[in-house]
Amino acid sequence: MSAATTRTSDQTTAGTTATRRTARFHRPGWARRPGAAAGPAGTPVSPSGGEKLLEAIGLGKTFGNGVRAVDDVSLTVGRGETVGIVGESGSGKSTTAKMILGLLAPDEGDVFFDGVPLRGLPRARMRALRARLQVVPQNPQTSLNPRLTVRSSIEFNLRAHGAERVARRTIVPEMLERVGLTPTHAERFPHELSGGQLQRVAIARALATRPDLVVCDEAVSALDKSVQAQVLNLLAELQADLGVSFLFISHDLAVVEHIADQVTVMYLGRVVEQGPAAQLWTSPRHEYTRALLAATPGRALEEAAGRDRPMIPVQPSGADGGAAGSGTAATTGQAAASRPPG
Amino acid sequence: MSTPHTSTSRAPGPAAATTAARPAQPNVVLSVHDLNTTFAAGSRTSNVVRGVSFDLRRGQTLMLLGESGSGKSVTARSIMRLYGRNATITGSVRLSGQELLDLSADRMRGVRGARIALVPQDPTGSLDPLRRIGAQITEVLALHNVERLRRAGRRQAEELLRLVGINDPKRVADSYPHELSGGMRQRAVIAIAVSCDPEVLIADEPTTALDVTVQKQILELFADLQDRLGMATLMVTHDVGVAAEAGDRVGVMYAGRLVEEGPAAQVFASPRHPYTAGLLAALPSPGVPRGTLRSIPGSPPPAGAFPAGCAFAPRCPVARDSCRTDDPPLVAVAPDRSVACPVVNPASPSAPPSTPTAGAVDIPSPAAPPADQPSALSKGGPR
Amino acid sequence: MTAVSDIALGATSSTDPPTGVRPATDATVARRRRRVTWGFRISAATIAAIVLVTLIGPFLVSDPNVGSLSERLLPLGSAGHLLGTDGQGRDVLSRLVNGGRPSLLAGLIPVAVSSLVGTALGVAAGLSGRLTHGAIMRTLDVFYAFPAVLLAIAISAALGSGISNSIIALAVILIPPVARVAETETRRLIDLDYMEAARASGAGGLSIAVRQVLPNVAPPIIVYCTALIGLSIVYAAGLSFLGLGVSPPTAEWGLMISDYKQFLYSFPELTAIPALAILVASVAFNVLGDGLRDLLDVRGETLT
Amino acid sequence: MFGFLARRGLLMIPILLGVSIVIFITIKIIPGDPVASLLGPTGTPEARAALEDRLGLNDPLPVQYFTWLAHTITGDFGTSIARQTTVSPMVFDALWNTLILTAAAAALALVLGVVIGALTALRRDGLLARIGNAFALVSISVPQYSVGLLLIIYLADDAGLFPVSGMYSPNGGGGFGDLMNHLILPAVTAALVPAGIIARMFRSSVLDVMGMDFIEALRARGLSERRILWHAFHNTTPSLLTVAGLQIGYLLGGVVFVEAVFSWPGIGQLVYLSISQRDLPVIQAGVLVSAFAFVLLNLIVDALHGLIDPRVRTH
């Protein structure tokens, strides 16, 4: 792990200045990054105006059994932006995510991360790059190693990028508080936590190395709806504070519409529609998107929403369980204020 | 390995009206009253379903909506008495007037599959992996219709598969479960469930494992079968959208209790219980800016470990001190609607307890809108 | 070698868990069962006692190789010879106590060696790509294709008799099953979400193997190998019984059975005593394995 | 199904080749000088060189291997050094005897294992179940060589119920009844360990299946408990088959001890005797034939597996 050579980019300048790998971990606390999207939470970062962080061009993948899992998929994620991928099972969205994460080599096409092509990248550089490219997996029950404590799980990621013991000691509690848990959660095992708490830990683990892009692979699909809202709010808040980009993969159109700036709809390995989230929801172009939209249950419910409900004021986001009081990362008053009149 | 159960005290609790006092409702197929299910694990017991009451009418779909640990699935299984020795089920479950909790294990077996059928969540797991679909259907047919011949059973099986929208029933009947897609498997499971023309169909998260486009087809199939066969459906779901789409009525469960019950359109248009309202507000929907979803703080209590008083009180924005000590009963707040919350229904603490569909007293509530207007939510609306 | 779980039937199989804290995943169900069983305690005490006796016993009893023909074949309970004497007038108790060390070592060392080598091979195969995986597993398959005992005998015979050779032979036949268990467990993890997260973290393969995979693979391996010790003790004594283990006049349980079977009809207890020692040790390790399974909440994996 | 079997069959070829290589190497490292023992103490260096040449011992190892393999495939295992007769009939006779013993033990183990396993799974708290569990635990730990000896004492000698050793009585007999009489003690001895293992695995397997979702679904369809059990047992057959197959394979080797104790003229005893006589061709042939039988058995188990479980066929 001592082979700390060069980093491809420094976070603060968002350029390609080489810095020592460990420098990342020696910053005091979590400073708000200059250059991060500074608008009030929820203000979408302009999709086209933003700087390109990730670009996938013409990705294709055929598996050994002859299944064409992904065919000619291209997409762009801007800095500080959230891009959603929607599709049903077999649509190739997870395979696409794996190729973007560099876990699967595409048969065709290329992935460029901050201008660097992942194809043919030397192993050492790829590993260093992974600090900036993290993942939050789907199932809270399996996204954390059941035999490791929360601390060990987070430290594993940090150690992989050369964070020294002292740095790890301070980063873990910091990250836990950042996602609305308390430092005492560090010594717990996954089976002692609820689903929402587990996904918070998974988010903390992903953010610990201060990534530029986090791939959320169905990250909220397995959560109860009341808890899902907490986690969605947390993601939005973290993005506003840290300027991190999300690639958000889900089968739930409503969730993607809510969280994403740009949406890519996939069907049988191909992109059938791409565009701004709001437009996709209100005026879908492709037949499949329309079918998907029509099949999304409770669409009628969504349309009727906001008129007569809720009659009872319900608090905005708070942390779930355990951390009542000090540890809760309540949404800012700003966010609450921007709520539309009910 | 029989299915013993204990049907003990039928004594009416303080909050429960006696069975006899309930007027017989026309078309009520299934009447559940003060259902309690307690599991014993070693020396510990956990009360997972707590005093659930509802009526289900012919041709009607009641949605039991709740999050994990709310006891919705246990309610469904308790009605069918699917638990073993470690479960104690009390209260009353009447199927067309017949008390199920009093039946012998043998007679209950005759009810299951024939008069009440179950469609479980995971179609893959609920089929015997080593037997062909056709054989699994004919097995049930033969079981409940002894006089039928084997060949007739086979023909009947294919007819059933056609009924559930399978175009090539011959091939499917000859297939093993793993050779079919998820949607096909769920159709086969439904075919088995409706094979004996049940009065009540209980579906436990029947679409959760499916893609949304397939889910839509399966929900349509349920509606279609209900029209054709006239059965009553009790569907368990965690998905508010599914409940809104496919339910005539909805019962919202939280921590083993029914906290709100009423026509789906009314409940979703104007929820009364703070939990229902919170759940609906937490859904992402167009126009809600990112980061401003109104989530309910905390998480649902784990099954069987419910706090004293109203179990929702610790997460409730309008809870009073009394909420933490007194468990509010489910009270009718309008014709056909009941809510278990004294805050939104101030008349209730002193009001006489009532059952959901008793419809006897209409307690005017300041919180209730004067009339529940039909909204775009009615069943069969835009899908 | 099918992995099987002991999770109770009935209520716990429903989707809405009636008991328990949270949706009953593998982990939570099993964790709740974590407990120290009585079998575990008794077997641990038995093993401790056996080990203690083999360590300090030899200092307390007479020389196992000295005997006078005038005292041959004394019955049980004779003065000065609690368990009697054998055909050469040697004290049976002394031979039993002294025979413990080679018998136990010949059983323990092969398991120790094969657990390390087998785990390394299995985890490596489990984490590698198709080619390496195939190469390792197919090679192991070849060793699997031999009836194990026969292979041990053949190897032992090839190397010549002697305790170290029988240890090598046993280690060779125990590596493939251990490696298979390790490979199965590793493969079970490989597609899990946290493994994907670990690969995406940028950690090296060795780091993932040691810090993420090993904590999950170790418990089932420990359980499996504990039970293997019982089997290995029986096999080791068996090789000695066939004349392929220790050479006379060293005291060893398997060799004692072989020596004493000539008196089978007149003095059956002579054969029964070492046989009982082997049985007790073997049962103790098997029960310990069962107890460890409950303690470490491992999905069942018994001997093949 | 045929395609499935063909694939499995093809997979066996490299394994058998590997087996032959391992045996060849094992024999090569055996200490001792086969040439010297063939020639006897009077052999001259010239005779020795001639013999080495004739045996092909001067060829490079791969050539020696392929020569050996070519002979082996045609069933020519060479000549026994100790007995100066061809090995093949000796080995195949022994294999046949071993198969008789193995089959008897396997049948016994299967019946015992399934009965005890089912009993302990379905009546989990009863006294019988406890006894069954204890029996299974002890029997998997049993050293067969001593159990065999004790059985000889108490049943064969003291009670005089069964013959002590061999396959047939020297005087008279020789018929089927005689064989059965001789078979019982060794078969029981050999069956103990696999019976215990099958019992434990079958118990877990029954519990596993009884916890599956489809069992509840069957119950919800109104099936009787007996009928549900029938479904459950049907679903345990694939894993039972796997375990039983492995155990029968284990028996093929494990009967060595039993054969030694009961003087059963099988492969195990043949190999055991040949080791002390340094009779290389016999050892080679014995181990090779056993391994071949084992691999063949696996193929049969695979085929049965495919027959029982449709999921295996299609993958």
Side-chain angles (χ1 to χ4, degrees):
Chain A
M1 293 297 112
S2 60
T5 47
T6 54
R7 299 273 317 132
T8 46
S9 155
D10 185 346
Q11 304 283 299
T12 48
T13 54
T16 48
T17 328
T19 53
R20 293 185 58 83
R21 187 200 269 192
T22 53
R24 171 186 298 273
F25 305 109
H26 290 152
R27 238 170 263 132
W30 273 84
R32 206 183 162 85
R33 267 187 232 157
T43 309
V45 175
S46 157
S48 47
E51 180 195 349
K52 267 184 202 170
L53 177 64
L54 178 111
E55 196 170 18
I57 299 170
L59 293 182
K61 184 78 192 173
T62 306
F63 284 123
N65 53 8
V67 172
R68 185 81 179 143
V70 171
D71 193 8
D72 193 24
V73 169
S74 302
L75 58 90
T76 307
V77 183
R79 199 172 282 280
E81 191 186 49
T82 299
V83 171
I85 303 183
V86 195
E88 297 183 290
S89 53
S91 65
K93 57 189 195 301
S94 282
T95 308
T96 306
K98 281 199 174 72
M99 290 192 282
I100 285 172
L101 281 167
L103 295 174
L104 200 64
D107 294 338
E108 299 104 39
D110 254 322
V111 176
F112 294 90
F113 186 78
D114 214 0
V116 181
L118 297 192
R119 181 187 292 275
L121 202 63
R123 238 180 141 95
R125 280 195 68 195
M126 184 67 215
R127 279 175 57 181
L129 192 81
R130 289 191 188 285
R132 307 173 54 203
L133 183 61
Q134 290 279 330
V135 63
V136 177
Q138 169 177 16
N139 188 343
Q141 304 298 340
T142 57
S143 64
L144 295 172
N145 192 330
R147 304 259 176 194
L148 299 185
T149 58
V150 165
R151 168 186 303 285
S152 309
S153 277
I154 299 177
E155 286 196 351
F156 180 80
N157 267 24
L158 290 168
R159 188 184 279 115
H161 297 286
E164 275 141 28
R165 196 180 150 77
V166 186
R168 298 202 301 260
R169 282 265 161 236
T170 57
I171 291 173
V172 170
E174 203 176 293
M175 287 315 303
L176 288 176
E177 291 198 344
R178 196 68 195 73
V179 296
L181 299 169
T182 64
T184 55
H185 283 107
E187 311 310 328
R188 305 267 190 91
F189 281 94
H191 71 273
E192 299 171 294
L193 303 178
S194 72
Q197 289 172 326
L198 289 170
Q199 279 316 61
R200 285 170 193 271
V201 173
I203 292 168
R205 174 183 58 187
L207 291 175
T209 56
R210 318 208 63 186
D212 295 321
L213 177 70
V214 175
V215 176
C216 301
D217 189 359
E218 300 270 12
V220 299
S221 304
L223 298 178
D224 277 329
K225 284 289 185 288
S226 67
V227 177
Q228 172 180 305
Q230 296 169 2
V231 175
L232 287 174
N233 281 348
L234 174 67
L235 288 174
E237 182 194 324
L238 289 168
Q239 182 165 57
D241 286 359
L242 309 172
V244 61
S245 306
F246 289 121
L247 182 65
F248 198 95
I249 294 160
S250 179
H251 65 272
D252 190 335
L253 209 54
V255 166
V256 170
E257 191 275 342
H258 173 76
I259 193 86
D261 303 301
Q262 297 281 322
V263 177
T264 296
V265 183
M266 288 186 68
Y267 180 63
L268 295 180
R270 290 178 153 273
V271 172
V272 295
E273 184 159 357
Q274 244 164 354
Q279 181 198 313
L280 209 79
W281 186 261
T282 51
S283 51
R285 300 235 174 83
H286 193 273
E287 196 58 41
Y288 176 71
T289 316
R290 274 197 285 272
L292 198 62
L293 208 55
T296 301
R299 181 119 197 282
L301 179 83
E302 308 294 344
E303 283 166 354
R307 276 206 291 277
D308 6 10
R309 69 179 165 91
M311 49 177 275
I312 292 164
V314 174
Q315 288 166 352
S317 141
D320 67 325
S326 62
T328 51
T331 315
T332 53
Q334 198 179 23
S338 68
R339 188 197 312 159
Chain B
M1 203 75 44
S2 62
T3 41
H5 87 122
T6 345
S7 160
T8 49
S9 75
R10 188 74 28 79
T18 58
T19 321
R22 285 188 293 163
Q25 292 281 329
N27 287 333
V28 170
V29 186
L30 182 73
S31 176
V32 174
H33 187 70
D34 195 26
L35 185 74
N36 280 278
T37 304
T38 307
F39 289 98
S43 54
R44 285 187 313 141
T45 61
S46 51
N47 194 356
V48 177
V49 175
R50 307 185 296 163
V52 167
S53 303
F54 58 83
D55 283 348
L56 186 59
R57 294 195 186 127
R58 198 176 145 75
Q60 193 179 58
T61 298
L62 172 64
M63 286 285 176
L64 278 186
L65 174 67
E67 296 181 297
S68 54
S70 62
K72 55 192 189 303
S73 284
V74 180
T75 301
R77 283 171 167 72
S78 298
I79 290 168
M80 296 186 77
R81 286 173 51 189
L82 282 176
Y83 292 113
R85 228 162 308 204
N86 60 341
T88 310
I89 304 167
T90 63
S92 160
V93 177
R94 286 176 174 272
L95 179 65
S96 303
Q98 186 179 30
E99 178 58 55
L100 294 186
L101 296 189
D102 285 342
L103 289 184
S104 70
D106 262 353
R107 295 199 49 204
M108 187 63 214
R109 203 175 294 136
V111 171
R112 279 192 221 119
R115 296 178 62 199
I116 303 187
L118 177 73
V119 177
Q121 168 170 7
D122 173 17
T124 314
S126 61
L127 291 167
D128 185 335
L130 302 187
R131 306 194 69 202
R132 293 176 203 275
I133 301 290
Q136 302 198 39
I137 299 177
T138 47
E139 179 177 33
V140 182
L141 287 173
L143 185 74
H144 295 290
N145 307 278
V146 187
E147 75 280 2
R148 231 181 231 127
L149 289 171
R150 203 187 144 82
R151 288 193 60 150
R154 164 73 195 213
R155 212 165 37 237
Q156 183 112 355
E158 285 174 20
E159 254 165 52
L160 279 163
L161 288 173
R162 198 170 282 120
L163 178 76
V164 295
I166 290 174
N167 295 326
D168 47 352
K170 270 197 166 41
R171 183 187 66 86
V172 171
D174 283 331
S175 299
Y176 288 100
H178 74 277
E179 296 168 338
L180 302 176
S181 69
M184 280 294 219
R185 262 177 241 155
Q186 191 58 297
R187 281 176 197 273
V189 169
I190 293 170
I192 294 174
V194 300
S195 61
C196 298
D197 206 358
E199 291 155 63
V200 176
L201 185 65
I202 296 182
D204 184 7
E205 306 259 12
T207 59
T208 303
L210 306 173
D211 278 327
V212 280
T213 46
V214 182
Q215 167 172 294
K216 184 187 175 199
Q217 296 165 7
I218 295 292
L219 289 179
E220 279 166 357
L221 174 64
F222 271 109
D224 175 55
L225 286 173
Q226 193 161 41
D227 287 348
R228 286 209 238 173
L229 307 174
M231 63 202 172
T233 307
L234 178 67
M235 197 180 286
V236 171
T237 185
H238 71 278
D239 190 325
V240 181
V242 169
E245 293 265 337
D248 299 312
R249 300 182 65 83
V250 62
V252 182
M253 286 195 72
Y254 189 82
R257 281 192 167 279
L258 209 51
V259 295
E260 178 158 8
E261 204 261 1
Q266 293 181 20
V267 170
F268 291 123
S270 56
R272 298 287 186 82
H273 197 280
Y275 171 66
T276 318
L279 193 62
L280 291 173
L283 295 177
S285 51
V288 179
R290 207 182 303 166
T292 63
L293 288 173
R294 275 171 279 178
S295 63
I296 309 174
S299 49
F306 306 131
C310 172
F312 188 61
R315 303 175 73 190
C316 182
V318 296
R320 304 167 179 164
D321 284 348
S322 64
C323 291
R324 296 176 216 285
T325 50
D326 307 332
D327 203 348
L330 190 67
V331 173
V333 294
D336 240 18
R337 284 197 70 179
S338 13
V339 177
C341 180
V343 180
V344 298
N345 183 31
S348 72
S350 55
S354 171
T355 47
T357 46
V361 207
D362 178 12
I363 305 161
S365 153
D372 290 303
Q373 287 123 9
S375 73
L377 290 175
S378 57
K379 191 185 166 204
R383 285 191 187 178
Chain C
M1 254 203 325
T2 21
V4 275
S5 85
D6 260 0
I7 294 165
L9 30 147
T12 45
S13 65
S14 78
T15 44
D16 220 0
T19 54
V21 196
R22 197 165 309 112
T25 62
D26 264 5
T28 52
V29 168
R31 298 267 176 187
R32 252 177 280 124
R33 299 192 315 139
R34 260 187 191 217
R35 62 191 195 271
V36 179
T37 55
W38 276 105
F40 178 81
R41 286 177 199 165
I42 294 170
S43 58
T46 309
I47 290 165
I50 294 174
V51 169
L52 207 67
V53 167
T54 54
L55 284 183
I56 58 171
F59 300 107
L60 305 177
V61 295
S62 57
D63 189 326
N65 295 326
V66 173
S68 67
L69 287 180
S70 61
E71 287 193 317
R72 72 191 290 264
L73 296 171
L74 292 178
L76 294 179
S78 305
H81 302 289
L82 197 61
L83 295 180
T85 56
D86 64 9
Q88 296 171 47
R90 297 174 299 194
D91 183 51
V92 174
L93 177 66
S94 170
R95 288 192 73 74
L96 189 72
V97 168
N98 279 281
R101 200 178 317 184
S103 300
L104 291 184
L105 284 183
L108 283 167
I109 295 172
V111 176
V113 172
S114 59
S115 66
L116 293 179
V117 178
T119 306
L121 278 174
V123 171
L127 291 177
S128 323
R130 269 183 55 170
L131 274 179
T132 319
H133 175 262
I136 295 177
M137 295 319 286
R138 294 296 82 76
T139 309
L140 291 174
D141 277 351
V142 168
F143 284 89
Y144 237 97
F146 291 98
V149 180
L150 211 58
L151 183 61
I153 289 171
I155 295 173
S156 250
L159 299 175
S161 66
I163 190 162
S164 50
N165 288 340
S166 92
I167 286 174
I168 293 173
L170 284 180
V172 169
I173 67 159
L174 295 183
I175 286 172
V178 175
R180 270 207 182 176
V181 174
E183 191 259 355
T184 311
E185 291 295 320
T186 308
R187 286 269 144 169
R188 210 160 59 76
L189 305 180
I190 202 132
D191 286 328
L192 291 184
D193 284 350
Y194 63 83
M195 285 296 292
E196 178 168 306
R199 283 194 296 275
S201 75
L206 190 65
S207 173
I208 290 177
V210 171
R211 292 181 194 282
Q212 299 279 348
V213 176
L214 210 56
N216 287 284
V217 172
I221 291 284
I222 290 170
V223 168
Y224 184 69
C225 286
T226 307
L228 265 190
I229 293 173
L231 186 77
S232 180
I233 288 174
V234 171
Y235 280 179
L239 289 178
S240 295
F241 174 82
L242 295 180
L244 290 168
V246 298
S247 18
T250 315
E252 198 271 348
W253 294 343
L255 198 59
M256 282 170 82
I257 296 179
S258 161
D259 281 350
Y260 298 162
K261 75 176 181 214
Q262 52 179 312
F263 309 113
L264 195 61
Y265 302 111
S266 38
F267 300 94
E269 66 272 15
L270 273 180
T271 308
I273 288 167
L276 212 60
I278 297 171
L279 183 66
V280 168
S282 169
V283 169
F285 277 106
N286 273 314
V287 178
L288 189 74
D290 282 3
L292 277 176
R293 186 199 332 277
D294 287 339
L295 195 65
L296 300 174
D297 73 57
V298 171
R299 297 147 55 84
E301 187 81 52
T302 354
L303 295 176
T304 52
Chain D
M1 186 74 200
F2 279 111
F4 164 77
L5 269 185
R7 274 199 307 280
R8 292 302 167 109
L10 282 178
L11 266 179
M12 297 291 158
I13 292 172
I15 288 180
L16 281 175
L17 276 180
V19 165
S20 68
I21 292 174
V22 170
I23 291 175
F24 183 74
I25 291 172
T26 310
I27 298 308
K28 278 289 154 196
I29 58 172
I30 284 196
D33 189 346
V35 178
S37 52
L38 269 182
L39 281 174
T42 55
T44 59
E46 291 75 31
R48 186 187 168 83
L51 186 64
E52 274 178 0
D53 208 42
R54 189 160 62 82
L55 292 176
L57 292 177
N58 294 327
D59 295 337
L61 273 183
V63 174
Q64 286 189 40
Y65 168 71
F66 282 112
T67 317
W68 172 77
L69 188 65
H71 284 290
T72 306
I73 287 173
T74 54
D76 173 12
F77 295 117
T79 310
S80 161
I81 293 167
R83 306 185 200 183
Q84 293 297 331
T85 54
T86 42
V87 173
S88 297
M90 208 192 305
V91 169
F92 284 115
D93 278 355
L95 180 69
W96 177 243
N97 294 341
T98 293
L99 286 180
I100 291 175
L101 179 55
T102 303
L108 212 61
L110 202 61
V111 171
L112 222 62
V114 167
V115 168
I116 294 174
L119 186 81
T120 50
L122 298 178
R123 299 258 176 279
R124 276 194 289 173
D125 304 315
L127 180 69
L128 267 179
R130 279 165 201 274
I131 295 172
N133 275 329
F135 171 82
L137 192 69
V138 173
S139 74
I140 61 170
S141 318
V142 141
Q144 288 163 325
Y145 33 92
S146 60
V147 172
L149 294 173
L150 295 173
L151 283 178
I152 290 179
I153 307 163
Y154 292 111
L155 292 176
D157 188 59
D158 285 11
L161 287 178
F162 302 107
V164 174
S165 67
M167 271 182 89
Y168 298 98
S169 307
N171 44 355
F176 183 72
D178 193 29
L179 174 66
M180 282 296 124
N181 211 16
H182 281 82
L183 189 57
I184 288 176
L185 281 187
V188 167
T189 310
L192 274 182
V193 174
I197 291 171
I198 291 174
R200 286 165 62 106
M201 295 303 258
F202 191 62
R203 172 181 187 271
S204 307
S205 174
V206 170
L207 290 179
D208 235 20
V209 172
M210 290 302 283
M212 285 180 175
D213 284 351
F214 82 89
I215 294 293
E216 190 199 43
L218 292 176
R219 199 165 281 145
R221 287 172 209 160
L223 267 67
S224 65
E225 289 303 311
R226 187 190 301 177
R227 192 101 187 118
I228 290 173
L229 268 187
W230 193 84
H231 277 267
F233 282 130
H234 183 202
N235 272 270
T236 59
T237 42
S239 66
L240 178 66
L241 188 69
T242 310
V243 178
L246 274 169
Q247 288 315 306
I248 296 171
Y250 158 88
L251 271 175
L252 274 176
V255 289
V256 178
F257 297 126
V258 181
E259 289 178 357
V261 169
F262 288 96
S263 308
W264 188 269
I267 287 277
Q269 211 200 8
L270 183 68
V271 170
Y272 168 55
L273 291 175
S274 305
I275 285 167
S276 50
Q277 297 163 335
R278 296 251 157 263
D279 199 344
L280 295 193
V282 180
I283 301 175
Q284 270 185 342
V287 178
L288 189 75
V289 161
S290 296
F292 184 75
F294 191 36
V295 171
L296 210 65
L297 179 81
N298 278 335
L299 187 64
I300 294 169
V301 167
D302 268 351
L304 286 176
H305 207 162
L307 209 65
I308 291 174
D309 193 338
R311 290 165 295 185
V312 175
R313 281 203 294 273
T314 38
H315 286 302

